[in-house]
Amino acid sequence: MSGREQLADAYLRLHPESAARLLESLPADQANAVLSAVDTTTAAPVLSQMLPTHAARCLEHQQPHDAALLLEKLVSQQSVAVLRHMPATLREAVLDCMGPQWLMVFKLLLSYPTNTVGAWVEPRVLTLPDDCNAGEARERIARSDQVNQARIYVLDRSRRLRGAVRGLALLQVPNRKTLASILEPADALWARDLLVTAQESAIWERHTEAPVVNRDEEFIGVISYADLRRAHRQSLHGGGAGAEREIAEVTELIAISAGSLWKSLGALMRTDKQR
C-alpha cells in the first residue's frame, strides 16, 4: 500500500462521518475508487454514514459480490435503504451474492404487498443531507441526473425526512446559507398504507408527488399521484385489501426482528472465535 493509500485508509477509518460527506461531494465513480482502495472493514462504516442514494450510486461501480460483502457489514435497515436505490437488475445480482441469512432479511424488508404504497415507490431520486449548505447543494444537483425534480428532499444522517427544498429557492440564497433555513415542510405517506387510502391524502391538494417513509420513519423514495392511481387500478384485480395491510405490518416487524437476531448471532460467533 502506497503512502497516499495509507493516508486515505487512516482518514476513512478514523473519521467515517466526515469521510462520508466528502465522498458524497465527489462523482460516484471517484467516490467508489476511494472505497475500493480500502478493505471492507474500513469502507463499511463510511458507507453507512452516506445517504442511501449516494451509497447506491457508488456500489453501482462495484462487482455485485464486492457490493454484497460491504452491505453484509451494515445493519439490515441501512443495507436495505441502499438496496432500494439500486437498479432492479443490479439489486437482484447483489442479493444473489449474499448469504442465506441476509437474503431472508433483505427480501422481507423489500417485499411490500402490491396494494400498499411501499411496493410502488421510486427510490432513485436525488436527496440532500441536512448538514450541507446551499452552495454544496447546488453542486450536487448539477452533477445529478435527476435535475428536473420539483422538490428535493432533505434527510438527516438517520435517513429521516427533514423537509424539502426547491431549486429556485436554492438559487436565491448565498452559498453558505444552511438548508435548514430554507426548508419547507414535506408531509409523507407510510410505505405500508393501502393505495386506496393514500389516494385520499391531503398531500395531493398541494403536490403531485409525495415522499414515502417506512415504520422507522426512514425515507425510502417518492410516489407520484399518477403512479399511485395507476397502481391502484392494477391492484384492484387482486383483492384482499385488509389481509394485505396486515401482511405489510407483519413483514416489517419480522424483518426488523430478524435483522437484530442475525446481528446478535454474528457478534456471538465473533466473540467465540476470539476465545
Side-chain angles (χ1 to χ4, degrees), residues 252-268:
E252 285 189 310
L253 286 172
I254 291 175
I256 291 168
S257 299
S260 300
L261 172 61
W262 286 114
K263 187 172 179 62
S264 299
L265 285 175
L268 286 172

Side-chain angles (χ1 to χ4, degrees), residues 178-240:
T178 63
L179 290 187
S181 64
I182 57 173
L183 277 182
E184 62 179 49
D187 295 327
L189 297 173
W190 292 102
R192 63 183 182 276
D193 278 348
L194 296 176
L195 297 172
V196 65
T197 304
Q199 285 186 89
E200 303 304 318
S201 172
I203 292 174
W204 308 121
E205 297 174 7
R206 304 180 299 278
H207 305 289
T208 58
E209 71 169 27
V212 180
V213 298
N214 64 13
R215 174 183 290 275
D216 292 332
E217 299 185 0
E218 297 169 333
F219 175 88
I220 64 170
V222 300
I223 189 167
S224 70
Y225 185 66
D227 286 344
L228 185 66
R229 296 266 303 185
R230 189 178 305 113
H232 179 56
R233 287 196 297 270
Q234 293 183 31
S235 72
L236 287 177
H237 300 291

